[in-house]
Amino acid sequence: MYITCLDLEGVLVPEIWIAFAQASGIPELKRTTRDEPDYDKLMNWRIGVLKEHNLGLKEIQETIAKIDPLPGAKEFLDELRSFCQVIIISDTFTQFAKPLMEKLGWPTIFCNSLEVAENGEITGFKMRIENSKLTTVKALQSIGYETIASGDSYNDLGMIKASKAGFLFRSTDKIKNDYPELPAYETFDDLMKAIKAAMD
């Protein structure tokens, strides 16, 4: 019994924080998990930048409402879900994910939640579980699933390496060079072929 675990941002949809950095004119917010392996450090830094610029959840949600899935992502997901269980495991937040899940046809997503004050200020965040991607993959394996995993960032490496088959997708040259043993793909067609081959 196979279950495919996919990252969200950079794999199925554009990076939310990069889109918001462009929309808000704050270039330093382009920093993502491709650049900073420590997610807690990255998020606390982002919250500080938002506070400094007096920006909150509402402004980020307005940007997210305009984000569309990457070209071919929904079709890829629809085909994958026709023959395999799929879970999106993301370090994003429920307050960000909903409009994107709607555009992707409501796939299952495991993610985290933001702590938001009444005035809309983002004051903190609550991770669903520590090291959520790897922990989730191991939990799925413990109940009898073989996992296949794909992602693009440092925080995806745990689940990719722990899975029966794991692939980098549209990752950075640095990550690809640092982990040459991980197959790396650039198109949904090639990723689909790799997933199907892993299940044969």
Side-chain angles (χ1 to χ4, degrees):
M1 194 75 173
Y2 283 97
I3 195 157
T4 300
C5 301
L6 298 173
D7 178 35
L8 177 64
E9 294 178 61
V11 174
L12 298 170
V13 304
E15 292 279 354
I16 290 167
W17 287 97
I18 290 177
F20 185 63
Q22 288 161 344
S24 63
I26 306 169
E28 62 262 40
L29 282 174
K30 286 185 178 171
R31 193 166 175 74
T32 70
T33 47
R34 289 169 160 222
D35 314 297
E36 174 52 73
D38 185 331
Y39 192 73
D40 277 8
K41 184 175 164 187
L42 178 65
M43 266 313 295
N44 283 314
W45 174 79
R46 283 169 170 166
I47 289 169
V49 174
L50 292 174
K51 195 175 174 65
E52 195 184 308
H53 291 271
N54 205 21
L55 294 166
L57 180 60
K58 178 174 159 286
E59 288 81 8
I60 300 175
Q61 285 178 327
E62 283 168 359
T63 297
I64 293 170
K66 297 172 191 155
I67 295 176
D68 286 321
L70 293 166
K74 185 176 184 298
E75 294 76 9
F76 166 78
L77 207 50
D78 287 347
E79 185 183 339
L80 189 56
R81 289 163 75 195
S82 73
F83 64 84
C84 179
Q85 295 296 313
V86 180
I87 297 176
I88 296 169
I89 308 176
S90 173
D91 278 340
T92 193
F93 305 96
T94 52
Q95 293 94 332
F96 290 0
K98 192 176 175 185
L100 299 169
M101 293 306 99
E102 184 175 2
K103 289 176 183 177
L104 286 168
W106 299 112
T108 299
I109 182 168
F110 292 176
C111 61
N112 307 303
S113 57
L114 289 169
E115 292 165 355
V116 185
E118 279 184 20
N119 65 357
E121 182 191 336
I122 297 170
T123 55
F125 58 99
K126 191 172 188 308
M127 302 300 278
R128 182 172 50 84
I129 193 169
E130 196 176 334
N131 206 351
S132 64
K133 298 186 182 199
L134 175 60
T135 308
T136 302
V137 157
K138 287 190 163 169
L140 290 166
Q141 291 164 350
S142 78
I143 55 169
Y145 283 100
E146 293 269 25
T147 60
I148 297 170
S150 184
D152 68 326
S153 295
Y154 284 105
N155 61 342
D156 300 312
L157 294 170
M159 73 171 180
I160 290 171
K161 289 176 173 181
S163 291
K164 180 172 190 268
F167 313 109
L168 291 171
F169 186 67
R170 297 183 180 174
S171 192
T172 64
D173 288 340
K174 178 162 183 12
I175 293 173
K176 287 188 278 194
N177 291 335
D178 286 350
Y179 299 90
E181 73 280 9
L182 297 177
Y185 300 104
E186 296 299 320
T187 70
F188 286 120
D189 284 350
D190 287 345
L191 181 59
M192 182 67 78
K193 283 180 198 152
I195 292 170
K196 285 180 173 173
M199 292 172 69
D200 281 347

